Amino acid sequence: MADLLFFGDTERSPAMRHELPIAIGDAFLLGVVGGRTHIVVSSLERSRIEAAAPDAVLHDISDFGFLDMLQQGMRFHDIDLELASRAAAAMGVREAVVDPDMPVSVADRLRADGIVLHPDDVVVAARRRVKSAAELAGIRRAQAAAEAGMAAAGALLRRARVDGDALVLDGSPLTAEAVRAELREECRRHGAPAPPDVIVSSVWQGGGHEPGSGPLPAHRPIVIDVWPQDEQSACWGDMTRTFVVGDVPERVRAMERLVRDALEAPRSAARPGIAGRALHELVCDVFEAAGERTQRTGPGADPEAGFQFSLGHGVGLAVHEAPSVGLSGADPLVAGDVVAMEPGLWDPEFGEVRFEDLLVITEDGSETLNVYPFDLTP
């Protein structure tokens, strides 16, 4: 087994958080050398790390001259580089696979010391594809928060009334911002805050990753895509539903039926051994048979029309991580993968219909991690 080196903090680095499942805000060096985990931190973190990783070898930064460097007036950035250099030497590392997200300055210093580094996203990502029990529990909590947030958004939409082609609530236009605020507050109450750019949008606001702003329309799809992060584990959830308040155009009904069929096709096929690309192509088959453009056929006159994005992605300590579930998804799924599947169709006149569920791959198939209904009526 090749040695590995990581550098960062466990609040911003998914790779670090997987190796050490507690929140540490200051960057540090972590090595897996000869199959044994080595962690270089201050004594302030020792008791927490001993509880979370009892088999790890702990190296105190004071043993590498931390206090002397402070007294010399060295800048913290330079101290970090010197500590990483001395700690890697103490671990006996001469060659290692590293996370491509390792800071350039750290990599440069270690290479200057003669250590051969191999940035390898495939190796690093593979270490966290099979979710630990604690990570899977965190994803379940995050997904439960997503459902609670979606329910809160749906309740707000239910209260709205139609005023021409717009929605009004309590005498004022109902806005994407109001729905987003209600949704995020409910996620927070469930222990999994959602970022400020979660999507509440319609054809009035535009497609893609546009979060949405301003008044929401009646008689047109409103897409809500929410991805909250469990505070305890730092793992994410992800789900999307589409609502229409008012009359549902027949074109939108047809899109709904197609998208539902397109979601069930890969859900039924998801199991260990199948590649993400194969699942994506099942969705393309459904849409293309109905005359819709897909990423496989390429766009028509409107570059966004049809299904012009990947079916999905892995979810875990990052909201977008391996494996890919799209045209680039060459890697077979494995038991323990958690994947989001979100087929959708965009029509430049009516907007988008999109549904997204989160699945964990099991030994003989998959388990869907959410139960929220698909009704267009909120």
Side-chain angles (χ1 to χ4, degrees), residues 234-258:
C235 287
W236 296 83
D238 198 5
M239 70 175 292
T240 304
R241 290 296 185 265
T242 303
F243 302 112
V244 179
V245 180
D247 299 327
V248 181
E250 182 51 41
R251 168 59 173 158
V252 175
R253 284 289 184 202
M255 293 166 66
E256 175 201 17
R257 290 190 292 268
L258 276 173

mmCIF file of all heavy atoms in Angstrom, residues 234-258:
data_model
loop_
_atom_site.group_PDB
_atom_site.id
_atom_site.type_symbol
_atom_site.label_atom_id
_atom_site.label_comp_id
_atom_site.label_asym_id
_atom_site.label_seq_id
_atom_site.Cartn_x
_atom_site.Cartn_y
_atom_site.Cartn_z
ATOM 1 N N ALA A 234 -20.700 16.609 9.111
ATOM 2 C CA ALA A 234 -20.277 17.404 7.947
ATOM 3 C C ALA A 234 -20.695 16.771 6.632
ATOM 4 O O ALA A 234 -20.261 17.211 5.569
ATOM 5 C CB ALA A 234 -18.772 17.663 7.953
ATOM 6 N N CYS A 235 -21.546 15.757 6.662
ATOM 7 C CA CYS A 235 -22.030 15.135 5.437
ATOM 8 C C CYS A 235 -23.262 15.878 4.912
ATOM 9 O O CYS A 235 -23.988 16.526 5.671
ATOM 10 C CB CYS A 235 -22.381 13.669 5.679
ATOM 11 S SG CYS A 235 -20.918 12.617 5.877
ATOM 12 N N TRP A 236 -23.492 15.739 3.616
ATOM 13 C CA TRP A 236 -24.530 16.491 2.928
ATOM 14 C C TRP A 236 -25.708 15.613 2.540
ATOM 15 O O TRP A 236 -25.574 14.395 2.397
ATOM 16 C CB TRP A 236 -23.972 17.118 1.645
ATOM 17 C CG TRP A 236 -22.898 18.138 1.879
ATOM 18 C CD1 TRP A 236 -21.574 17.905 2.092
ATOM 19 C CD2 TRP A 236 -23.066 19.555 1.934
ATOM 20 N NE1 TRP A 236 -20.901 19.092 2.271
ATOM 21 C CE2 TRP A 236 -21.797 20.121 2.176
ATOM 22 C CE3 TRP A 236 -24.167 20.405 1.786
ATOM 23 C CZ2 TRP A 236 -21.589 21.488 2.276
ATOM 24 C CZ3 TRP A 236 -23.963 21.774 1.882
ATOM 25 C CH2 TRP A 236 -22.697 22.300 2.136
ATOM 26 N N GLY A 237 -26.844 16.246 2.344
ATOM 27 C CA GLY A 237 -27.984 15.650 1.665
ATOM 28 C C GLY A 237 -28.219 16.407 0.375
ATOM 29 O O GLY A 237 -27.568 17.418 0.108
ATOM 30 N N ASP A 238 -29.167 15.939 -0.436
ATOM 31 C CA ASP A 238 -29.449 16.622 -1.704
ATOM 32 C C ASP A 238 -30.772 16.096 -2.250
ATOM 33 O O ASP A 238 -30.936 14.879 -2.388
ATOM 34 C CB ASP A 238 -28.317 16.358 -2.699
ATOM 35 C CG ASP A 238 -28.295 17.346 -3.861
ATOM 36 O OD1 ASP A 238 -29.097 18.297 -3.858
ATOM 37 O OD2 ASP A 238 -27.455 17.166 -4.756
ATOM 38 N N MET A 239 -31.697 16.982 -2.542
ATOM 39 C CA MET A 239 -32.955 16.557 -3.160
ATOM 40 C C MET A 239 -33.576 17.708 -3.924
ATOM 41 O O MET A 239 -33.328 18.883 -3.625
ATOM 42 C CB MET A 239 -33.941 16.013 -2.118
ATOM 43 C CG MET A 239 -34.530 17.039 -1.182
ATOM 44 S SD MET A 239 -35.794 16.349 -0.080
ATOM 45 C CE MET A 239 -37.115 15.967 -1.224
ATOM 46 N N THR A 240 -34.393 17.369 -4.913
ATOM 47 C CA THR A 240 -35.083 18.364 -5.732
ATOM 48 C C THR A 240 -36.523 17.918 -5.958
ATOM 49 O O THR A 240 -36.781 16.734 -6.185
ATOM 50 C CB THR A 240 -34.406 18.531 -7.109
ATOM 51 O OG1 THR A 240 -33.036 18.863 -6.915
ATOM 52 C CG2 THR A 240 -35.093 19.611 -7.928
ATOM 53 N N ARG A 241 -37.434 18.894 -5.900
ATOM 54 C CA ARG A 241 -38.820 18.656 -6.283
ATOM 55 C C ARG A 241 -39.282 19.858 -7.110
ATOM 56 O O ARG A 241 -38.677 20.933 -7.084
ATOM 57 C CB ARG A 241 -39.719 18.466 -5.060
ATOM 58 C CG ARG A 241 -39.480 17.159 -4.295
ATOM 59 C CD ARG A 241 -39.815 15.951 -5.118
ATOM 60 N NE ARG A 241 -39.711 14.702 -4.368
ATOM 61 C CZ ARG A 241 -38.640 13.917 -4.355
ATOM 62 N NH1 ARG A 241 -37.550 14.285 -5.039
ATOM 63 N NH2 ARG A 241 -38.635 12.781 -3.685
ATOM 64 N N THR A 242 -40.354 19.662 -7.847
ATOM 65 C CA THR A 242 -40.916 20.699 -8.707
ATOM 66 C C THR A 242 -42.383 20.899 -8.359
ATOM 67 O O THR A 242 -43.116 19.907 -8.200
ATOM 68 C CB THR A 242 -40.793 20.300 -10.193
ATOM 69 O OG1 THR A 242 -39.409 20.054 -10.491
ATOM 70 C CG2 THR A 242 -41.323 21.399 -11.093
ATOM 71 N N PHE A 243 -42.790 22.158 -8.223
ATOM 72 C CA PHE A 243 -44.170 22.485 -7.847
ATOM 73 C C PHE A 243 -44.786 23.447 -8.868
ATOM 74 O O PHE A 243 -44.077 24.244 -9.492
ATOM 75 C CB PHE A 243 -44.216 23.135 -6.468
ATOM 76 C CG PHE A 243 -43.633 22.288 -5.362
ATOM 77 C CD1 PHE A 243 -42.452 22.657 -4.729
ATOM 78 C CD2 PHE A 243 -44.270 21.128 -4.959
ATOM 79 C CE1 PHE A 243 -41.926 21.883 -3.709
ATOM 80 C CE2 PHE A 243 -43.737 20.341 -3.942
ATOM 81 C CZ PHE A 243 -42.571 20.718 -3.322
ATOM 82 N N VAL A 244 -46.090 23.358 -9.000
ATOM 83 C CA VAL A 244 -46.860 24.322 -9.787
ATOM 84 C C VAL A 244 -48.050 24.764 -8.946
ATOM 85 O O VAL A 244 -48.809 23.922 -8.450
ATOM 86 C CB VAL A 244 -47.362 23.728 -11.117
ATOM 87 C CG1 VAL A 244 -48.187 24.764 -11.879
ATOM 88 C CG2 VAL A 244 -46.200 23.238 -11.974
ATOM 89 N N VAL A 245 -48.206 26.069 -8.779
ATOM 90 C CA VAL A 245 -49.368 26.624 -8.095
ATOM 91 C C VAL A 245 -50.267 27.250 -9.163
ATOM 92 O O VAL A 245 -49.831 28.144 -9.897
ATOM 93 C CB VAL A 245 -48.970 27.679 -7.051
ATOM 94 C CG1 VAL A 245 -50.219 28.243 -6.360
ATOM 95 C CG2 VAL A 245 -48.017 27.077 -6.018
ATOM 96 N N GLY A 246 -51.492 26.752 -9.269
ATOM 97 C CA GLY A 246 -52.396 27.215 -10.320
ATOM 98 C C GLY A 246 -52.657 26.100 -11.310
ATOM 99 O O GLY A 246 -52.567 24.911 -10.977
ATOM 100 N N ASP A 247 -52.957 26.461 -12.528
ATOM 101 C CA ASP A 247 -53.230 25.477 -13.571
ATOM 102 C C ASP A 247 -51.928 24.887 -14.090
ATOM 103 O O ASP A 247 -50.944 25.604 -14.307
ATOM 104 C CB ASP A 247 -53.991 26.127 -14.723
ATOM 105 C CG ASP A 247 -55.332 26.698 -14.279
ATOM 106 O OD1 ASP A 247 -55.952 26.104 -13.367
ATOM 107 O OD2 ASP A 247 -55.753 27.734 -14.833
ATOM 108 N N VAL A 248 -51.939 23.579 -14.313
ATOM 109 C CA VAL A 248 -50.753 22.894 -14.823
ATOM 110 C C VAL A 248 -50.903 22.708 -16.334
ATOM 111 O O VAL A 248 -51.781 21.977 -16.793
ATOM 112 C CB VAL A 248 -50.559 21.524 -14.148
ATOM 113 C CG1 VAL A 248 -49.296 20.854 -14.677
ATOM 114 C CG2 VAL A 248 -50.476 21.680 -12.629
ATOM 115 N N PRO A 249 -50.082 23.372 -17.142
ATOM 116 C CA PRO A 249 -50.167 23.198 -18.594
ATOM 117 C C PRO A 249 -49.917 21.751 -19.002
ATOM 118 O O PRO A 249 -49.160 21.024 -18.338
ATOM 119 C CB PRO A 249 -49.071 24.120 -19.131
ATOM 120 C CG PRO A 249 -48.818 25.109 -18.026
ATOM 121 C CD PRO A 249 -49.050 24.352 -16.754
ATOM 122 N N GLU A 250 -50.533 21.321 -20.088
ATOM 123 C CA GLU A 250 -50.373 19.946 -20.536
ATOM 124 C C GLU A 250 -48.913 19.638 -20.862
ATOM 125 O O GLU A 250 -48.439 18.518 -20.627
ATOM 126 C CB GLU A 250 -51.249 19.680 -21.759
ATOM 127 C CG GLU A 250 -51.180 18.234 -22.253
ATOM 128 C CD GLU A 250 -51.407 17.203 -21.134
ATOM 129 O OE1 GLU A 250 -52.298 17.420 -20.287
ATOM 130 O OE2 GLU A 250 -50.665 16.194 -21.107
ATOM 131 N N ARG A 251 -48.185 20.617 -21.411
ATOM 132 C CA ARG A 251 -46.763 20.396 -21.685
ATOM 133 C C ARG A 251 -46.012 20.069 -20.403
ATOM 134 O O ARG A 251 -45.154 19.188 -20.377
ATOM 135 C CB ARG A 251 -46.156 21.635 -22.351
ATOM 136 C CG ARG A 251 -44.629 21.660 -22.431
ATOM 137 C CD ARG A 251 -44.058 20.482 -23.187
ATOM 138 N NE ARG A 251 -42.614 20.633 -23.381
ATOM 139 C CZ ARG A 251 -41.785 19.629 -23.614
ATOM 140 N NH1 ARG A 251 -42.236 18.378 -23.706
ATOM 141 N NH2 ARG A 251 -40.485 19.856 -23.782
ATOM 142 N N VAL A 252 -46.349 20.742 -19.320
ATOM 143 C CA VAL A 252 -45.684 20.476 -18.044
ATOM 144 C C VAL A 252 -46.070 19.095 -17.524
ATOM 145 O O VAL A 252 -45.239 18.367 -16.981
ATOM 146 C CB VAL A 252 -46.010 21.582 -17.027
ATOM 147 C CG1 VAL A 252 -45.436 21.251 -15.659
ATOM 148 C CG2 VAL A 252 -45.460 22.922 -17.513
ATOM 149 N N ARG A 253 -47.329 18.698 -17.698
ATOM 150 C CA ARG A 253 -47.749 17.354 -17.293
ATOM 151 C C ARG A 253 -46.954 16.296 -18.063
ATOM 152 O O ARG A 253 -46.517 15.290 -17.501
ATOM 153 C CB ARG A 253 -49.235 17.160 -17.556
ATOM 154 C CG ARG A 253 -50.148 17.831 -16.576
ATOM 155 C CD ARG A 253 -50.113 17.142 -15.228
ATOM 156 N NE ARG A 253 -51.082 17.739 -14.310
ATOM 157 C CZ ARG A 253 -51.000 17.655 -12.993
ATOM 158 N NH1 ARG A 253 -49.980 17.003 -12.442
ATOM 159 N NH2 ARG A 253 -51.909 18.219 -12.221
ATOM 160 N N ALA A 254 -46.770 16.532 -19.359
ATOM 161 C CA ALA A 254 -46.008 15.580 -20.160
ATOM 162 C C ALA A 254 -44.549 15.520 -19.695
ATOM 163 O O ALA A 254 -43.943 14.436 -19.628
ATOM 164 C CB ALA A 254 -46.080 15.976 -21.635
ATOM 165 N N MET A 255 -43.975 16.677 -19.372
ATOM 166 C CA MET A 255 -42.606 16.703 -18.858
ATOM 167 C C MET A 255 -42.514 15.952 -17.536
ATOM 168 O O MET A 255 -41.565 15.203 -17.301
ATOM 169 C CB MET A 255 -42.142 18.153 -18.685
ATOM 170 C CG MET A 255 -41.975 18.912 -20.002
ATOM 171 S SD MET A 255 -41.820 20.714 -19.769
ATOM 172 C CE MET A 255 -40.243 20.830 -18.912
ATOM 173 N N GLU A 256 -43.520 16.147 -16.675
ATOM 174 C CA GLU A 256 -43.524 15.457 -15.382
ATOM 175 C C GLU A 256 -43.504 13.943 -15.586
ATOM 176 O O GLU A 256 -42.734 13.221 -14.927
ATOM 177 C CB GLU A 256 -44.760 15.859 -14.583
ATOM 178 C CG GLU A 256 -44.906 15.089 -13.277
ATOM 179 C CD GLU A 256 -46.335 15.093 -12.750
ATOM 180 O OE1 GLU A 256 -47.263 15.391 -13.508
ATOM 181 O OE2 GLU A 256 -46.501 14.760 -11.554
ATOM 182 N N ARG A 257 -44.349 13.444 -16.467
ATOM 183 C CA ARG A 257 -44.406 11.999 -16.686
ATOM 184 C C ARG A 257 -43.070 11.477 -17.207
ATOM 185 O O ARG A 257 -42.581 10.424 -16.760
ATOM 186 C CB ARG A 257 -45.531 11.664 -17.662
ATOM 187 C CG ARG A 257 -46.929 11.870 -17.091
ATOM 188 C CD ARG A 257 -48.002 11.305 -18.005
ATOM 189 N NE ARG A 257 -48.111 12.059 -19.256
ATOM 190 C CZ ARG A 257 -48.954 13.083 -19.429
ATOM 191 N NH1 ARG A 257 -49.743 13.484 -18.429
ATOM 192 N NH2 ARG A 257 -49.022 13.711 -20.597
ATOM 193 N N LEU A 258 -42.465 12.212 -18.137
ATOM 194 C CA LEU A 258 -41.184 11.781 -18.682
ATOM 195 C C LEU A 258 -40.083 11.773 -17.620
ATOM 196 O O LEU A 258 -39.286 10.830 -17.543
ATOM 197 C CB LEU A 258 -40.773 12.706 -19.829
ATOM 198 C CG LEU A 258 -41.350 12.403 -21.209
ATOM 199 C CD1 LEU A 258 -40.974 13.515 -22.182
ATOM 200 C CD2 LEU A 258 -40.854 11.058 -21.721
#
